[in-house]
Amino acid sequence: MRLTVAKVEVLIWVLIYGGLLILAVGLALREVHGLLAGTVSLIGGLFAAAGVVLIWIRSRMVNPRPPSAADASKPPR
């Protein structure tokens, strides 16, 4: 699977928001079951951290540049 810029951007937000939601569920479980709450919170934190790492990876990706009007006026070589 080839990751395009658009797919990476969607994956970033899914990981960050999903990870924060899972982290919140883990924190809410603290009163019910300590070990389960810690595990769920850790998984949510790892998802959110993966989203942050993908932001850095996205900043290093090359954008495909659409042709500009100046390029269209030049004759082809």
Side-chain angles (χ1 to χ4, degrees):
M1 179 175 92
R2 182 165 166 82
L3 287 177
T4 63
V5 172
K7 287 180 186 177
V8 170
E9 288 175 355
V10 168
L11 187 58
I12 287 169
W13 294 112
V14 167
L15 284 173
I16 289 176
Y17 284 119
L20 291 176
L21 178 66
I22 294 170
L23 179 68
V25 168
L27 292 176
L29 287 174
R30 275 189 304 182
E31 299 296 323
V32 179
H33 196 280
L35 181 61
L36 178 64
T39 304
V40 171
S41 296
L42 178 67
I43 291 170
L46 289 175
F47 281 3
V52 171
V53 169
L54 277 179
I55 290 174
W56 178 77
I57 291 172
R58 166 61 186 96
S59 72
R60 301 291 184 235
M61 290 178 76
V62 176
N63 279 338
R65 186 174 62 98
S68 65
D71 293 338
S73 65
K74 295 178 183 176
R77 294 182 187 196

